[in-house]
Amino acid sequence: MARVLIVDDDVAFRSSLAEMLCDLGHEVLAADSSAAGIDLLQRHAPELAIVDLRMPGEDGLVFLQRAAAISAMPCIMLTAHASGDNTIEAIRLGAFDHLTKPVPRQALVQTLERALRQGAAMQAAVMAEPSEPAPERNQLVGDSEAMRQVFKQIGRAATSDATVLVLGETGTGKELVAQALHRNSARAARPLVAVNCAAIPAELIESELFGHVRGAFSGAAAHRMGRFQQADGGTLFLDEIGDMALPTQAKILRVLQEREVTPLGGDTAQRIDVRVIAATHRDLPQEIRAGRFREDLWYRLQVLTIRVPALRERPGDILAIAEHFLRLQGAQVSRQIMPAAARLLLAHAWPGNVRELRNTMERAAVMSQGAAIEAEHLGLLPVTDAPEGVAIDWDGLLEVAVAQLEQAMIARALAATGGNRAEAARRLGISRQQLYRKLDEAARPND
């Protein structure tokens, strides 16, 4: 039961709507104008408002603006004359939804239920204890065993100046690993310089990395310091090094061996003190076999190797990362992911990994216009079948669905590795002991 405010100058429609709401068990407040509605809002604090767009005097949009300064309750806007402009304006001003009269009963009931969930989530957020400080944007998030191993590797690698190679698919957060390595090292007070090797044309990358002297080539009107020199005393992050041309790879190898650079057009080598972190999404051994990557550079880079797992390999982290990205939006009230949305997040394959999840949650924050993130706000395809034909109860308890998804992924990894448990555990980003334990748990009959 909820207290619902109706603001509509049409007596017949207002009475009919009030009767329907009472039949559903709600308490109804009714007003025939925006001003009267604001008065009832101030005196009775309804949980939800249903407001007509077109009314004499102050219209429904004025009500939305005035109500927002009084209460965080959701407002459903109704109109008999829908247009792109008034729909956009209503949503921009904070309307939960914008419906066209006559509204089918079932559609209105479903919208009411969603709006009331939204209102409850907003109220819970307002009443909650003060939230923790906003998380840093450049933060690795995850509590899975796979990510704990990554954190441990970062901690160990941060204590040395050894070259680190970070491997992982596009969008997994390889640059965040580089930032964490630098931030936790003795070089943290010095620069971290990042270079995207795939984004710089081959004819310019050597000048970008090593610098050049005046007159080194057409257009070189002045001396220019390279990225290695800019990072002196600190860290140089070479992102997507697998896309670097072979001639440049040879020069990078020499810099790593000699710890000195010679600017283009120059004849004097300059000593540098730089810790190098490289990253790639490519299979470098395959690139070596194809003649696109130098084997000697591969050996030089992989002094320490950190592999960042794909998001599908750590489903237990998906909701935590999603909530992290929602907190980064800086809303006045914290947002909550509703169960249907959570199931959709867990069921998605995430080919774009964490970057795709970040974009999804930014979109959801914009589309929700409130505290409750529903499935339709995500912009993801609905769940139709479980992966690999494994039965997953998408409409049941979240905990059960997560366990079923975990078993589906284990079965898939074992099938892909021909039953090799050690390799399956590596693909899943967990230890062999964890895999054995999970297999034992799945084999036990339910109590």
Side-chain angles (χ1 to χ4, degrees):
M1 177 179 175
R3 183 179 294 127
V4 181
L5 170 62
I6 303 172
V7 184
D8 197 312
D9 63 317
D10 185 331
V11 177
F13 180 82
R14 190 171 67 242
S15 299
S16 174
L17 182 56
E19 183 178 352
M20 187 195 80
L21 292 173
C22 289
D23 289 343
L24 293 172
H26 299 301
E27 177 186 346
V28 175
L29 304 169
D32 61 0
S33 68
S34 179
I38 292 296
D39 180 61
L40 290 175
L41 172 60
Q42 292 173 321
R43 292 192 288 117
H44 298 286
E47 287 100 326
L48 173 71
I50 302 175
V51 186
D52 188 31
L53 175 65
R54 291 193 176 184
M55 293 183 289
E58 297 179 334
D59 62 15
L61 297 179
V62 174
F63 176 89
L64 274 179
Q65 292 174 301
R66 295 180 61 189
I70 301 170
S71 170
M73 69 169 184
C75 294
I76 299 172
M77 184 68 70
L78 302 179
T79 182
H81 308 281
S83 71
D85 288 344
N86 62 40
T87 299
I88 292 171
E89 183 68 5
I91 298 301
R92 187 185 70 81
L93 291 174
F96 176 79
D97 209 337
H98 188 233
L99 306 178
T100 304
K101 295 179 180 178
V103 185
R105 177 188 174 94
Q106 186 60 30
L108 185 55
V109 169
Q110 291 175 350
T111 304
L112 276 170
E113 291 174 349
R114 291 190 298 111
L116 288 171
R117 287 200 301 270
Q118 182 82 274
M122 294 172 72
Q123 186 64 27
V126 170
M127 297 298 293
E129 292 294 326
S131 60
E132 297 178 0
E136 290 186 21
R137 181 166 295 275
N138 297 328
Q139 178 178 334
L140 287 164
V141 176
D143 193 40
S144 63
E145 179 60 25
M147 284 307 294
R148 282 196 290 271
Q149 291 301 320
V150 171
F151 298 149
K152 290 177 184 178
Q153 290 174 313
I154 291 172
R156 296 186 187 108
T159 62
S160 80
D161 279 339
T163 302
V164 179
L165 179 62
V166 185
L167 303 175
E169 295 179 8
T170 298
T172 50
K174 298 186 291 295
E175 185 166 0
L176 295 184
V177 171
Q179 292 170 358
L181 281 167
H182 177 74
R183 188 169 56 246
N184 291 281
S185 73
R187 297 174 177 266
R190 302 294 296 166
L192 168 63
V193 178
V195 181
N196 186 340
C197 301
I200 303 174
E203 62 272 16
L204 298 179
I205 193 165
E206 291 187 18
S207 172
E208 188 74 21
L209 292 172
F210 311 125
H212 61 254
V213 300
R214 181 179 178 181
F217 50 85
S218 178
H223 173 78
R224 186 178 186 278
M225 184 181 293
R227 297 298 184 93
F228 272 99
Q229 295 156 307
Q230 292 173 12
D232 194 32
T235 303
L236 180 67
F237 175 51
L238 298 174
D239 196 10
E240 299 303 351
I241 196 169
D243 292 63
M244 183 180 286
L246 286 168
T248 309
Q249 291 179 29
K251 294 189 177 183
I252 291 290
L253 176 63
R254 178 172 177 79
V255 172
L256 292 177
Q257 291 173 334
E258 306 298 333
R259 295 292 162 176
E260 60 183 28
V261 297
T262 302
L264 291 183
D267 53 14
T268 303
Q270 302 175 10
R271 297 292 300 175
I272 54 167
D273 173 22
V274 174
R275 199 259 181 93
V276 173
I277 302 172
T280 183
H281 70 283
R282 296 189 180 277
D283 182 340
L284 291 186
Q286 177 60 37
E287 294 295 297
I288 291 169
R289 290 191 290 272
R292 292 188 293 265
F293 200 83
R294 294 180 62 104
E295 187 172 18
D296 47 5
L297 179 57
W298 156 248
Y299 290 128
R300 175 64 66 175
L301 290 174
Q302 60 164 343
V303 178
L304 297 172
T305 301
I306 297 176
R307 178 182 173 274
V308 187
L311 192 54
R312 63 181 175 276
E313 298 174 17
R314 48 186 185 119
D317 289 337
I318 291 174
L319 296 183
I321 298 171
E323 291 169 347
H324 168 76
F325 288 136
L326 285 177
R327 289 193 295 272
L328 288 178
Q329 300 308 305
Q332 293 181 348
V333 295
S334 59
R335 295 183 172 94
Q336 296 183 19
I337 301 173
M338 296 294 103
R343 290 194 293 268
L344 197 55
L345 289 171
L346 290 171
H348 189 63
W350 300 113
N353 289 295
V354 178
R355 182 181 294 120
E356 181 187 0
L357 178 55
R358 179 187 63 195
N359 294 339
T360 297
M361 300 320 296
E362 289 178 356
R363 175 171 60 246
V366 172
M367 299 305 295
S368 70
Q369 292 290 321
I373 301 297
E374 302 280 2
E376 60 265 26
H377 299 145
L378 300 174
L380 301 176
L381 293 176
V383 179
T384 54
D385 295 303
E388 302 296 323
V390 177
I392 295 180
D393 184 8
W394 298 112
D395 296 316
L397 295 174
L398 180 61
E399 180 181 3
V400 174
V402 171
Q404 292 169 335
L405 180 62
E406 185 177 79
Q407 290 303 315
M409 292 187 64
I410 289 174
R412 180 175 177 175
L414 287 170
T417 58
N420 185 322
R421 295 188 175 189
E423 178 62 18
R426 189 195 68 77
R427 289 170 65 101
L428 292 166
I430 61 177
S431 67
R432 279 179 293 176
Q433 290 75 16
Q434 283 182 300
L435 178 60
Y436 298 152
R437 186 173 66 251
K438 291 178 184 297
L439 290 171
D440 289 341
E441 291 171 354
R444 293 190 203 125
N446 295 329
D447 295 333

